[in-house]
Amino acid sequence: MNTALPPVAPEVLAEAVEQLTARLRKKLDAATAACADSAAPEADGSVGLRFGEDALVTLRPGPDGTVTRPEQATCTCLLAPRCLHRAAALGAAPLADAPPPGPELPEPDGDVGRAGPAAVAVPADAPGATSPTGPTPATDPTGLTGPTGPSLPAPPVPALSAAQLTAAAALWRAATEALAAGVTAGGAVVQAELLRAAHTARLAALPRAEAAALRVVRGLRAARERRSGQRLGDLTAAFLDLLATAARLASGSADPALAGAARRAYAPGGSLQVYGLCREPVLSATGYGGVVTHLLAPDGTPYSVSDVRPGGLARARGAGTASVALGGGALDHAGLARGGLRIVGATVSPDGRLGAGRGVKATPLRGTPWTDGPAAALFARPAAEAVAESLATPDGSEPALLGCDVAVVAAAGDHLLVREVRPDAPLLRLRAAHPHPELAHTANLRRLAGYPGLLVRVVGRPDLDRAATLRPLAVGPVPGAPYTLRLPEEWLGRADLGYDRLQGVHFPPGTAEPVAQPVAAPGPDPLADSPLWRVRRLLETGVAGGRRALAESARGDADPAGRRMLCRAGFTAAADRAGALAAEADRRPRDVFGRLTDPSAEPYAWAWLAAATHLAAAEHLLVAASWGPGAAA
């Protein structure tokens, strides 16, 4: 990907690839890589890419800086527009984002939603669902369908429109082919099929499915280009989200809410009184930056005000002190995080986001410390209860913020070990909410690590993909503790770790008093050290190398999925899923002439989805257990 090129709408790239002949498609990946660094910006805002002496591709973005129409990409060769040069230039450009979620149509001047990846959907019924192209074949390795499995229920009445069902089925087919290809074979042609299916999903009002497909395409691009920061686990999670979402939608039995909403629907909220809790910088991989300020009502109901727009890191850093565009309130986000608002005519989204419509009026209020008011309730219950509640929420929702009092233990790699100040509490890991070095999270955690025994009050978001891990957003002193933080009075007893920088004057002198309970060394990680890593390795092998790589890795191993070790540890269902996946990957029946008799990738995709869904559920149970009394971190 060349960042000097303007972003290209997914449907424009998909159409350009579709127009190529089969011979030119085989050359597309090499042509795209060859032109990645040949962009030359012109004075009129266009960008030119030269292919030899006779071919010049010109990209002319629109007023928003994005190529959204086919005629904005031209080539001077004789085959244009059905030429390799034009498709390669479009493929080298970054993918344009879908419009960020915003308020309902009557309020076009409302807030812009937070940009970032959605949580992975883990449907419990995915393995036994009806296939988008009919019932799963009798050879389905999960053993849940076919003549030997339980009888299928009567087909449900579709809750979605016919266009949505068709779009979801097309997206499912494209996703299964992309999964079978993997990163190694998931080049421009495979990506174009996903982009075309994503565009169809957008036209059918399936924005969540479209977003899942775009995340997979971006992940494939990052993996093939070996970008820094790219993680195979993230791409595996993106495939799980895409396959699960497409399968449930295409089955016709999914809740229409799974389709998502292209624009955040705000409803009248009447009069509200909210108090600031903390602010959180937002920095997405797609170039969006800003801030989200978290608020609480007197009854503890969470709300938030966001200001996220294109701009990246500079926008994320500057938005922390930008004015709050909410009913003419005379507060910036720093003041709102330590203050409050009385709002008349409020508009609220289902996830608690406050809108900024024309009829909203806001008046500043004096803030309350964490020891009083609604924030005090966050610290009144054990963190394990809040984590269990977050794990029980519906798929796709973000975990709620929790509060706890902890004692600093020591630094351990890139995280900070702490212990909750409760009897039999486990060691917890504090990890930077955002590791970017230009944000203050990492530096503040290093400061805290230098004061073993320090008592700190923490507000953060639990990391549901790691054992006993909390992503702290703000810290403050523990009431009544002699060895705790000493923050300025104007900070109102809290420091936002993404914006405020802790200094030596903010820490107490001397050392902590001896603790009654000795600090135990961290034990084995119940998630990373469990035999489930074998299942994850099998799934990631399929994502990285495709179906062929997974089959070859299993073929040369007497126990490819680690079934014996998984069964000895009690993970018999995981062993069955992993074994079925390995067997299905290697199942390629052929006739007497060597031709495949069942070339469909759908049975393999069902087996992969069954194993990935079960793994996600098992890992969530281990995460919940890691927060329990006496659990090892």
Side-chain angles (χ1 to χ4, degrees):
M1 180 186 70
N2 190 334
T3 55
L5 294 173
V8 173
E11 61 271 19
V12 175
L13 173 58
E15 182 181 356
V17 174
E18 186 181 25
Q19 291 178 343
L20 297 179
T21 63
R23 181 179 63 85
L24 292 179
R25 290 187 182 188
K26 296 179 181 179
K27 302 179 179 180
L28 181 56
D29 289 331
T32 301
C35 75
D37 298 320
S38 61
E42 303 294 341
D44 60 354
S46 62
V47 179
L49 296 93
R50 183 164 292 281
F51 294 80
E53 297 182 358
D54 300 327
L56 174 64
V57 177
T58 303
L59 303 181
R60 296 182 176 86
D64 60 349
T66 303
V67 177
T68 57
R69 301 193 309 274
E71 57 269 21
Q72 292 175 324
T74 59
C75 181
T76 59
C77 76
L78 297 177
L79 293 179
R82 297 178 175 83
C83 63
L84 179 65
H85 315 119
R86 180 172 174 271
L90 291 171
L95 283 178
D97 281 316
E104 57 187 355
L105 293 178
E107 295 183 353
D109 58 337
D111 87 292
V112 175
R114 180 179 177 183
V120 176
V122 186
D125 57 342
T130 303
S131 170
T133 55
T136 309
T139 55
D140 177 16
T142 62
L144 298 180
T145 56
T148 59
S151 58
L152 290 172
V157 177
L160 304 175
S161 67
Q164 288 176 319
L165 293 175
T166 301
L171 189 58
W172 163 261
R173 290 191 295 270
T176 59
E177 295 298 332
L179 177 66
V183 172
T184 55
V189 176
V190 172
Q191 295 171 25
E193 292 299 324
L194 272 175
L195 293 177
R196 175 164 290 281
H199 180 59
T200 304
R202 181 198 299 181
L203 297 179
L206 298 175
R208 176 172 173 178
E210 178 204 7
L214 293 182
R215 281 195 298 275
V216 168
V217 173
R218 291 193 177 97
L220 288 173
R221 284 188 166 197
R224 290 176 62 85
E225 296 171 6
R226 299 184 180 181
R227 299 179 199 163
S228 60
Q230 185 274 333
R231 294 178 62 251
L232 186 58
D234 293 338
L235 182 55
T236 303
F239 263 111
L240 172 58
D241 186 20
L242 174 60
L243 288 168
T245 302
R248 295 180 66 181
L249 289 173
S251 69
S253 60
D255 189 331
L258 185 64
R263 299 181 69 84
R264 183 176 288 113
Y266 282 74
S271 297
L272 292 177
Q273 192 168 307
V274 293
Y275 296 93
L277 180 65
C278 63
R279 55 190 165 142
E280 174 186 6
V282 177
L283 182 62
S284 78
T286 53
Y288 283 85
V291 64
V292 173
T293 299
H294 298 278
L295 311 165
L296 290 175
D299 61 356
T301 303
Y303 294 95
S304 62
V305 174
S306 69
D307 182 8
V308 181
R309 303 180 189 279
L313 176 63
R315 185 81 177 58
R317 296 176 64 183
T321 54
S323 298
V324 177
L326 185 65
L331 284 177
D332 58 17
H333 280 274
L336 179 58
R338 296 181 172 93
L341 285 176
R342 180 179 288 110
I343 307 173
V344 177
T347 56
V348 187
S349 72
D351 60 354
R353 200 67 52 90
L354 296 176
R358 295 185 181 90
V360 178
K361 304 296 180 183
T363 304
L365 295 174
R366 182 181 178 84
T368 60
W370 284 353
T371 54
D372 300 325
L378 288 178
F379 307 94
R381 62 174 180 169
E385 292 184 8
V387 173
E389 185 176 298
S390 294
L391 288 170
T393 55
D395 299 334
S397 58
E398 193 174 55
L401 299 183
L402 63 84
C404 57
D405 294 341
V406 301
V408 175
V409 176
D414 60 347
H415 57 270
L416 175 64
L417 287 178
V418 300
R419 187 183 296 279
E420 190 178 2
V421 186
R422 289 183 183 273
D424 298 325
L427 285 175
L428 305 180
R429 292 179 172 90
L430 299 187
R431 290 183 178 269
H434 202 297
H436 198 288
E438 294 297 325
L439 297 176
H441 293 287
T442 302
N444 283 329
L445 289 182
R446 288 174 181 167
R447 275 278 188 178
L448 291 170
Y451 293 85
L454 183 74
L455 296 181
V456 184
R457 178 157 280 189
V458 179
V459 168
R461 182 177 291 108
D463 188 340
L464 302 184
D465 295 326
R466 299 175 184 268
T469 300
L470 185 67
R471 302 279 183 175
L473 301 181
V475 295
V478 175
Y483 193 67
T484 187
L485 291 174
R486 299 182 177 182
L487 301 179
E489 184 177 351
E490 60 270 20
W491 285 14
L492 203 64
R494 70 201 69 170
D496 296 324
L497 294 179
Y499 292 102
D500 302 321
R501 291 189 178 268
L502 297 175
Q503 306 295 334
V505 69
H506 300 147
F507 294 88
T511 58
E513 297 180 1
V515 294
Q517 179 182 4
V519 176
D525 189 317
L527 189 60
D529 296 334
S530 75
L532 289 175
W533 68 267
R534 294 179 176 273
V535 184
R536 178 162 293 282
R537 184 181 66 178
L538 196 67
L539 294 170
E540 292 181 351
T541 297
V543 170
R547 177 177 183 170
R548 179 177 298 180
L550 196 154
E552 290 178 354
S553 66
R555 195 178 300 130
D557 193 341
D559 189 18
R563 290 173 58 88
R564 289 190 293 270
M565 181 175 290
L566 288 168
C567 290
R568 283 198 299 268
F571 296 109
T572 54
D576 292 341
R577 296 297 187 198
L581 174 59
E584 179 58 36
D586 200 28
R587 189 186 68 84
R588 305 286 283 176
R590 298 179 183 272
D591 59 17
V592 294
F593 298 103
R595 297 171 300 192
L596 286 174
T597 58
D598 183 14
S600 173
E602 288 195 33
Y604 169 74
W606 278 117
W608 190 95
L609 180 57
T613 300
H614 185 275
L615 176 65
E619 288 181 338
H620 274 195
L621 291 177
L622 289 178
V623 168
S626 70
W627 287 82

